[in-house]
Amino acid sequence: MGEKVVAGQFDLSDRQRYRDKLRTCLTGLERLLAEERFDRPKNLMGLEIELNLVGADGMPRMLNGEVLARIASRDFQTELAMFNLEVNIAPHRLGGRVFDRLAEELRTSLAYADRKAGELDAGIVMIGILPTLDRDDLVSSNLSDVDRYTLLNDQIVAARGEDFVLDIDGVERLTCTSKSIAPEAACTSVQLHLQVTPGRFADVWNAAQAVAGVQIAVGANSPFLFGRELWCESRPPLFQQSTDTRPPELQTQGVRPRTWFGERWISSAYDLFEENLRYYPALLPICDDEDPLKVLDEGGVPSLAELVLHNGTVYRWNRPVYDIADGVPHLRVENRVLPAGPTITDVIANAAFYYGLVRALAEESRPVWTRLPFEAAAANFDAACRHGIDARMVWPRRGRHGGTVEVDAVSLVRDELLPLAEAGLAAWGVEAADRDLYLGVIEERCRRRANGASWQAATFHRALEAGLSRDAALAATTRRYAELMRTGEPVHTWPVGLPDPVPLG
């Protein structure tokens, strides 16, 4: 949700000054690209997971400040609301048994954090949207006590000029309003980073966009919000609507939302940064003292602070990232498509599938994005969010004849994309044991047509059939989810429904 900033007020000249500085930063980025100043390939990937704090009753706990103080690790940070945390795993080189190592690091980190949360009668749950969240939980008073969140909320509210409207029509329909961006905090996700050279950036980003729908289809885990059953993956519409700076009139005019899939395939990372400047007004017009062009003239590496900050307030599902490590600039593709959870094994399986798939697709002689209209990729993303594992996708037809065909997502994954992901992981140098284990999880989800969203919905309906009220059924589903999550067994193996009560006497 943006860089570290301090709260304050902006006057009328700040935005013009910031816009001018952004253009200077963009010129600096263009020079860095032309001068080939970026880091060489290191095959580095990174992982972030947003988490929920939940009580034994399945309800959210507003305790992130206290829990973080007990965890006392820089790997864990605040997120938007007081029931959110985020864990960051240090970058790893793709290859060998990297996914097993990642899984073990996550198990250790999350078990430790869960113990610390337990000292405050809370626990950590990885789930796309916590089913027990109520509208009263997602209000501005429950935003984390961090200046940048307060400032960002104030600026988005001011830009919109009226209440935010949530209107999601799924299995059921939810309509309500909010006076703040707090409902966005319901969305807890996994972010997958991949460091790429400028020459490979466009191919990797295009590949990531092409498979975003498939990622959601196999990984959906967010079917409930405010007591309603909505889309299988309700985070994207919720995120877009809860951060939407456009009143209805601007939406009707076709002004682009800040949460955005995009509208075209690209040829350079520069395309995305330039679009962000061209289409989106600044939310946080905070200027740094650095003169990027002077730094470049002197042989240094500019931080491009304004560009980085502005980029962090445009919520693309695949976002470009400019960063500096050890004095050398680099570019990353940040994949923000996936929900958190259900288990560490599921998270790592989703990651392995993604990294293998984008490697293979980015290196194809006839890339998928030359054969698939961008509008079809966007429609696939929407269909997957709505229907999850049962979605149907438009995909390029195999063979010489060209064109596209509509196919079940599970058939597309099993017949075409899993073999590609396997080849991509082999190209990264990932050992066969890791490839087989984690891609096998994706294959089993497809075979059983089961993922986190399907388990949550089926278990909730079993609870209703057993006579529980809606609220009680959602709470019981959440408690059972947390229990099964802690076993570590992937979600496709979870038994549907609540455990039978133990008889007394």
Side-chain angles (χ1 to χ4, degrees):
M1 297 295 296
E3 296 296 299
K4 292 181 179 178
V5 297
V6 292
Q9 297 298 314
F10 304 119
D11 62 35
L12 294 177
S13 65
D14 286 332
R15 294 183 190 281
Q16 181 62 56
R17 188 183 314 117
Y18 188 79
R19 184 181 292 114
D20 292 342
K21 190 69 180 292
L22 275 175
R23 290 176 181 145
T24 303
C25 285
L26 190 64
T27 301
L29 176 67
E30 191 174 27
R31 277 184 55 180
L32 283 165
L33 290 166
E35 294 169 11
E36 299 183 352
R37 297 278 300 276
F38 284 88
D39 203 3
R40 295 294 173 259
K42 291 186 176 176
N43 295 353
L44 288 178
M45 56 83 70
L47 180 67
E48 305 170 52
I49 308 176
E50 295 163 351
L51 308 162
N52 293 279
L53 290 170
V54 178
D57 56 0
M59 308 305 288
R61 300 296 305 277
M62 307 294 170
L63 290 169
N64 66 356
E66 296 92 326
V67 171
L68 283 168
R70 289 176 182 249
I71 293 172
S73 167
R74 287 184 297 180
D75 292 344
F76 287 84
Q77 300 173 358
T78 55
E79 252 300 324
L80 183 58
M82 292 182 182
F83 62 91
N84 298 143
L85 299 176
E86 181 176 90
V87 60
N88 298 283
I89 298 299
H92 283 60
R93 191 179 300 276
L94 278 159
R97 299 299 300 272
V98 61
F99 294 112
D100 261 358
R101 291 199 307 275
L102 280 169
E104 186 55 36
E105 284 184 34
L106 278 172
R107 276 191 284 269
T108 301
S109 293
L110 294 184
Y112 172 72
D114 197 48
R115 287 197 302 274
K116 291 300 179 181
E119 295 172 5
L120 295 165
D121 298 320
I124 286 174
V125 174
M126 291 191 299
I127 193 168
I129 296 175
L130 191 64
T132 50
L133 284 169
D134 185 78
R135 288 178 61 186
D136 291 341
D137 297 318
L138 292 169
V139 293
S140 56
S141 59
N142 283 337
L143 293 177
S144 293
D145 187 19
V146 179
D147 279 346
R148 71 180 184 273
Y149 300 134
T150 302
L151 185 55
L152 190 65
N153 177 68
D154 291 347
Q155 293 301 304
I156 291 178
V157 168
R160 183 172 175 85
E162 60 188 78
D163 287 355
F164 298 88
V165 176
L166 304 183
D167 187 350
I168 305 173
D169 193 4
V171 176
E172 300 173 297
R173 187 170 186 178
L174 171 71
T175 56
C176 63
T177 60
S178 172
K179 295 187 179 301
S180 75
I181 66 170
E184 188 273 308
C187 306
T188 44
S189 64
V190 172
Q191 288 115 43
L192 302 173
H193 291 256
L194 180 60
Q195 183 177 328
V196 294
T197 59
R200 285 176 54 83
F201 185 96
D203 289 348
V204 171
W205 187 87
N206 288 339
Q209 288 286 97
V211 300
V214 173
Q215 285 182 275
I216 289 286
V218 297
N221 195 29
S222 315
F224 297 107
L225 177 66
F226 299 161
R228 296 284 190 273
E229 185 179 356
L230 302 174
W231 295 8
C232 290
E233 188 52 50
S234 303
R235 286 169 40 256
L238 171 58
F239 203 123
Q240 178 174 322
Q241 293 176 19
S242 61
T243 59
D244 201 342
T245 54
R246 309 168 303 162
E249 296 81 4
L250 292 183
Q251 295 179 37
T252 302
Q253 290 176 36
V255 173
R256 295 161 181 83
R258 294 192 85 98
T259 302
W260 199 37
F261 187 81
E263 62 191 15
R264 64 183 177 118
W265 307 116
I266 64 166
S267 57
S268 166
Y270 180 88
D271 293 352
L272 299 176
F273 289 102
E274 189 276 334
E275 278 186 351
N276 287 354
L277 268 63
R278 185 154 41 99
Y279 294 150
Y280 298 103
L283 288 177
L284 303 172
I286 301 167
C287 284
D288 190 81
D289 293 334
E290 176 189 79
D291 180 343
L293 302 185
K294 182 179 179 182
V295 171
L296 279 168
D297 288 341
E298 295 172 350
V301 177
S303 66
L304 307 183
E306 293 82 6
L307 189 75
V308 169
L309 178 58
H310 184 63
N311 189 57
T313 65
V314 179
Y315 306 109
R316 295 178 183 270
W317 296 110
N318 284 292
R319 176 190 275 165
V321 177
Y322 170 87
D323 205 352
I324 300 170
D326 299 323
V328 182
H330 68 261
L331 294 172
R332 300 195 302 270
V333 174
E334 180 191 12
N335 178 261
R336 306 172 61 250
V337 166
L338 289 163
T343 67
I344 290 169
T345 299
D346 288 301
V347 168
I348 299 301
N350 290 339
F353 182 52
Y354 169 75
Y355 287 117
L357 199 48
V358 294
R359 171 72 185 254
L361 291 175
E363 295 182 350
E364 281 192 318
S365 57
R366 290 186 63 215
V368 62
W369 56 92
T370 66
R371 299 175 288 135
L372 182 71
F374 192 92
E375 296 75 17
N380 286 345
F381 183 72
D382 186 73
C385 291
R386 291 176 184 272
H387 305 297
I389 201 80
D390 294 320
R392 290 181 64 79
M393 303 266 154
V394 173
W395 198 253
R397 191 190 308 273
R398 285 191 279 186
R400 305 183 292 178
H401 302 294
T404 58
V405 63
E406 188 176 277
V407 61
D408 283 343
V410 293
S411 299
L412 175 63
V413 171
R414 293 179 72 186
D415 297 343
E416 191 168 344
L417 300 185
L418 275 172
L420 281 172
E422 184 176 358
L425 292 178
W428 287 121
V430 173
E431 289 188 18
D434 259 22
R435 299 200 310 265
D436 294 347
L437 172 62
Y438 292 109
L439 294 184
V441 170
I442 304 297
E443 184 172 22
E444 280 298 298
R445 280 193 220 150
C446 291
R447 189 176 71 82
R448 304 185 191 199
R449 287 184 175 260
N451 59 16
S454 68
W455 183 90
Q456 287 187 57
T459 297
F460 168 71
H461 286 287
R462 290 271 186 95
L464 289 180
E465 291 163 7
L468 273 64
S469 69
R470 288 183 70 93
D471 287 348
L474 287 167
T477 297
T478 303
R479 293 193 298 271
R480 180 61 170 160
Y481 178 104
E483 178 186 334
L484 292 169
M485 181 200 77
R486 290 187 173 92
T487 69
E489 294 299 317
V491 71
H492 67 262
T493 68
W494 291 7
V496 169
L498 305 176
D500 294 329
V502 178
L504 300 175

